[in-house]
Amino acid sequence: MMGPMAPTPSSLRRLLLALALLVATTAPSLAAPGAMEQAKAHFKRGVAAYEKEQWDDAVEAFKAAYDLSKSPDILFNIARAVTRKGDEEAAIGYLKRYLEAAPNAPDVVSVRTEIEARERALRDRKDTARAEAEAAEARKVAE
């Protein structure tokens, strides 16, 4: 059973890398005036919330940053925060969106492997829950 991923030095570095990429890839012509500054502020708020394990606030802030910047790495950050909230299906969805938005990212292979492992674990949990429900129903019928 695969539980929420604990924040690791690597995932925190990734958060900081995403912030750096957000700053470096700012495209003023594509964003409304001040939008990138707002995105940076939302992202910093998301990192602070993540570090405090305030998952709802982190997700909200990262989503706001992504909406303004469209930086693919922020999708990865959303996936991590959503995982910590316990929504594995949503996390998988954000990881897939990350790969779609950044098909040449250096971590494509590891993210694909992670998605496959998460999907397998999710299927296993669903199968186990279904089997347990069927067994409970069979016990009721037998009584």
Side-chain angles (χ1 to χ4, degrees), residues 52-127:
K52 294 177 188 170
E53 299 182 1
Q54 297 170 339
W55 312 124
D56 289 330
D57 293 342
V59 169
E60 177 186 321
F62 287 147
K63 283 181 178 180
Y66 179 75
D67 288 343
L68 291 167
S69 71
K70 301 302 183 209
S71 174
D73 285 317
I74 297 175
L75 294 169
F76 186 93
N77 300 132
I78 296 169
R80 287 294 182 251
V82 169
T83 296
R84 299 298 295 179
K85 285 180 56 173
D87 189 346
E88 192 67 20
E89 289 184 36
I92 291 167
Y94 281 108
L95 289 172
K96 287 180 177 180
R97 284 180 60 192
Y98 165 72
L99 290 180
E100 289 170 9
N104 297 318
D107 59 350
V108 167
V109 173
S110 65
V111 174
R112 281 190 186 131
T113 301
E114 180 180 340
I115 290 170
E116 291 168 5
R118 286 172 175 249
E119 287 177 332
R120 198 170 32 256
L122 192 57
R123 270 192 314 273
D124 290 348
R125 282 195 301 273
K126 286 180 179 180
D127 290 346

